[in-house]
DNA sequence: CTGAAAGCGCTAACAT
DNA sequence: ATGTTAGCGCTTTCAG
């Protein structure tokens, strides 16, 4: 392996000068610079980041914690994160936690061991204690999910307002019996969306019926199917349903048509997230769209600021209702 | 930051002893070990990987190159890679190349700069020259895609046999006019699957009709839709279609039902990959399943072997035909 | 404008 | 069983 010493010797200069050339410092004569650059070419020298990292005590690696790599909700966020990070000379380590504390710990340890500089956490099931603990000495940003009253900066949308908007849309087009497929209430976003659901109903004088509200353990097609099955078996069958995730809504769509019913005539359906699939279903899904890509870029921007020691403020972004064929 | 020196001083031993305790070497007295362990606890010492990495000249980071993070084809492969890697103390840097050479180069440079130890390439559009060049001095494995006659080890399935199997199934259930949605022939897998398609037809005395073969630039729903549109407009309309990717097949499904036609009665459809979503379509998609997870674990296993300097052999895995409602 | 040298935190060969 | 020490490759301060 050819190192900086070797280049210096070959070019007849000191390692300091090679380093200066490498970093575009103007304190080098054109002539010296040329000589060094030629030598670098000739020897095909590539500076090792290992040395650099140790010296500067940084890794330029950022961790992104997500529960499941296959959840399409994260795709565009990750794209945003990646593009911003790369353009600022950071790399992204995508970490699938499976919402398991052990798995999470591996990644937390990576930061403690200086193998990564900071974390963007998108796992709603993250171990809060551990995260807060880590945040004392390390740069951490939460994306999409967050903790009220805690000092970890976050970027998110207004979940309550978004759910309210979705349900209000269902009411406007004539539905009064609206089922709600929510995920586990231990997640803040689930509680907030539940609030939005209830608020919309109450505002229109529609009583909230507990038997219309369902909770799923995970976000996946099959959980949507199961919930839909229960909804369809209800005595006083709802005419519409709102699911907190497109995945759940798509599963429900499948179940509804499997029962020979028609969307939206027999049952209107609204999802959440506007994942790409949601336009491929039959009928195409009405859903809430979040500015994913932007959320990603903002999250890294905040993280990099934090890494520099700057003060960062949390951000709440706008959402949109995308009306398609399912309502 | 508390370092090994500090621990050594505090515990009244040498840094070597601390290092020995850290690495579970038995050459340390129980008493000394205890003292050191207590000190580590007390100071909350966490060894820095930066120092370790420089010293050992390794990063324990593996790159996984994929064209698109959102392509479900890769999900289980990645899961397999991750679990095997983590259990062997490696971490995975998932790299989205967008099939762009510039983007790819960023990652190749990461390896050259010793920031990563090796690469698993799954990008069929990878810059072959650059990859072969890199492979001269670095550990590289190809997964799913590969190069014939080149020395980079790979793990894959028999694409020709799989396509042959799919088309033969369509013939068996009574189809003679079978359209084929392939991706760009510049990819080896596309050429191999094309061979399988032709072989099945020829074996049953069915002439290969050029107008039944379509090529898409990318693998995405919308490309499948477009191709299906053309197929449906054909004078002598096919009664079945085989797509080289579930994504394409699902797009086709959407288009077919949008035209008021019925699958499988008017048009039987077979996909490829058995992505999760392929079971959520209406009707559920018949498809070819590859042992993704296993492919992933084998790929890392090969890479780690290579890193150790061992000789590795390429592997070809089995596939399966999963018959569902679309045929 | 350039060079010498310290040192980032760790491992491991060698010495005791 | 434990300590001493060189050195991984780099950046940066200080001197000249």
């Amino acid at each position: 392996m050819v190192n900086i010493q070797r280049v210096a010797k070959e070019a007849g200069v000191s390692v300091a000068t090679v380093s200066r050339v490498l970093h575009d410092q103007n304190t080098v004569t054109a002539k010296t610079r040329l000589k060094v650059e030629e030598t670098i070419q000739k020897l095909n020298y590539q500076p090792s980041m290992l040395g650099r990292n140790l010296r500067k005590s940084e890794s330029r690696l950022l961790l992104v914690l997500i529960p499941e790599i296959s959840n399409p909700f994260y795709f565009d966020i990750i794209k945003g994160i990646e593009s911003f990070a790369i353009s600022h000379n950071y790399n992204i380590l995508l970490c699938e936690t499976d919402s398991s504390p052990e798995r999470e710990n591996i990644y937390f340890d990576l930061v403690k061991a200086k193998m990564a500089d900071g974390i963007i956490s998108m796992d709603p099931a993250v171990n809060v204690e551990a995260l807060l603990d880590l945040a004392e000495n390390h740069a951490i940003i939460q994306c999409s999910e967050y903790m009220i009253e805690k000092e970890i900066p976050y970027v998110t949308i207004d979940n309550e307002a978004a759910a309210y908007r979705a349900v209000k849309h269902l009411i406007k087009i004539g539905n009064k019996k609206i089922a709600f497929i929510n995920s586990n209430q231990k997640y803040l976003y689930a509680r907030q969306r539940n609030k939005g659901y209830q608020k919309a109903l109450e505002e229109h004088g529609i009583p909230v019926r507990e038997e219309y509200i369902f909770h799923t353990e995970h976000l996946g097609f099959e959980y949507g199917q199961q919930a839909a099955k229960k909804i369809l078996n209800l005595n006083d069958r709802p005419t519409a349903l709102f699911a907190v995730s497109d995945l759940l809504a798509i599963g429900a769509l499948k179940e509804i048509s499997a029962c020979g019913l028609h969307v939206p005539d027999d049952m209107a359906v609204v999802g959440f997230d506007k994942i790409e699939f949601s336009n491929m279903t039959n009928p195409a899904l009405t859903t809430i769209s979040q500015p994913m890509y932007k959320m990603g870029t903002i999250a890294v921007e905040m993280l990099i600021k934090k890494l520099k020691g700057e003060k960062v403020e949390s951000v709440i972004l706008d959402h949109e209702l995308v009306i398609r064929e399912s309502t």
Side-chain angles (χ1 to χ4, degrees), chain A:
Chain A
M1 194 63 207
V2 27
N3 57 16
I4 200 171
Q5 309 270 9
R6 176 80 194 287
V7 175
K9 183 183 280 183
E10 193 90 6
V13 297
S14 74
V15 292
T17 300
V18 178
S19 179
R20 285 183 190 111
V21 170
L22 248 24
H23 296 89
D24 263 340
Q25 281 171 269
N26 299 325
T27 59
V28 186
T29 338
K31 200 176 131 200
T32 313
R33 141 163 281 122
L34 191 71
K35 193 172 50 182
V36 172
E37 279 168 346
E38 279 173 0
T39 313
I40 288 175
Q41 284 292 323
K42 195 178 80 186
L43 299 182
N44 193 21
Y45 166 65
Q46 186 93 21
S48 157
M49 299 206 71
L50 261 27
R52 185 184 175 287
N53 286 350
L54 174 58
R55 177 58 223 242
K56 304 194 78 175
S57 196
E58 65 169 19
S59 64
R60 297 205 82 83
L61 219 51
L62 269 21
L63 303 191
V64 175
L65 265 47
I66 56 177
E68 273 262 19
I69 199 175
S70 56
N71 187 335
F73 169 64
Y74 299 106
F75 291 164
D76 276 345
I77 302 183
I78 293 169
K79 286 212 168 128
I81 292 177
E82 270 185 338
S83 84
F84 195 94
I86 286 189
S87 70
H88 286 71
N89 259 299
Y90 279 91
N91 281 292
I92 294 304
L93 199 55
L94 207 55
C95 309
E96 202 174 17
T97 62
D98 283 331
S99 296
S100 120
E102 296 79 46
R103 192 73 178 259
E104 226 169 65
N105 254 320
I106 296 178
Y107 298 119
F108 288 171
D109 283 346
L110 238 41
V111 176
K112 291 184 193 151
K114 300 219 162 237
M115 185 65 193
D117 295 343
I119 292 188
I120 294 174
S121 169
M122 301 205 267
D123 186 357
V126 73
N127 178 342
V128 172
E129 299 303 318
L131 196 70
L132 284 169
D133 199 53
L134 198 68
E136 308 238 318
N137 303 302
H138 300 277
I140 302 202
I141 303 291
Q142 283 193 288
C143 182
S144 175
E145 183 74 4
Y146 63 101
M147 294 180 270
I148 301 174
E149 304 277 311
K150 298 290 184 189
E151 73 284 0
I152 298 182
Y154 56 82
V155 49
T156 183
I157 58 159
D158 184 337
N159 281 294
E160 182 181 332
Y164 171 82
R165 181 105 148 246
V167 177
K168 191 164 176 175
H169 164 65
L170 286 172
I171 296 173
K172 252 196 199 153
I173 59 175
N175 296 288
K176 285 193 159 23
K177 293 182 285 185
I178 302 172
F180 181 33
I181 309 182
N182 200 353
S183 74
N184 196 307
Q185 293 260 77
K186 70 184 171 200
Y187 303 138
L188 177 62
Y189 80 89
R191 296 195 298 277
Q192 293 176 327
R193 292 181 194 176
N194 183 49
K195 252 195 200 162
Y197 165 78
Q198 304 216 1
K199 188 177 158 203
L201 293 186
E202 280 159 12
E203 234 179 71
H204 292 79
I206 303 173
V208 174
R209 296 169 62 167
E210 279 306 321
E211 71 270 27
Y212 280 4
I213 302 180
F214 296 82
H215 296 280
T216 67
E217 213 39 59
H218 295 281
L219 300 179
F221 297 129
E222 58 282 23
Y223 295 91
Q225 280 180 287
Q226 284 166 20
K229 194 170 288 177
K230 290 184 201 151
I231 290 171
L232 295 173
N233 282 332
L234 246 29
N235 276 336
D236 190 13
R237 192 164 74 203
T239 59
L241 79 82
F242 167 49
V244 290
S245 152
D246 281 352
L247 296 178
L248 296 175
I250 290 170
L253 240 39
K254 171 91 180 168
E255 185 63 27
I256 295 167
S257 68
C259 289
L261 294 175
H262 187 261
V263 176
D265 301 340
D266 300 313
M267 178 82 71
V269 177
V270 177
F272 207 113
D273 292 343
K274 200 190 173 209
I275 65 173
E276 210 193 343
F277 284 154
S278 68
N279 200 24
M280 278 305 124
T281 52
N282 203 349
L285 189 65
T286 292
T287 187
I288 295 282
S289 120
Q290 306 189 36
M292 319 275 211
Y293 190 91
K294 196 172 167 192
M295 231 159 97
T297 56
I298 289 181
V300 208
E301 194 177 359
M302 288 167 73
L303 184 56
I304 293 178
K305 260 192 187 163
K306 195 122 208 274
L307 249 12
K308 285 188 193 153
E310 295 173 29
K311 192 98 197 125
V312 299
E313 301 279 333
S314 295
V315 176
I316 295 179
L317 296 173
D318 283 334
H319 60 268
E320 265 174 66
L321 175 68
V322 180
I323 300 174
R324 295 194 288 213
E325 302 157 9
S326 70
T327 58

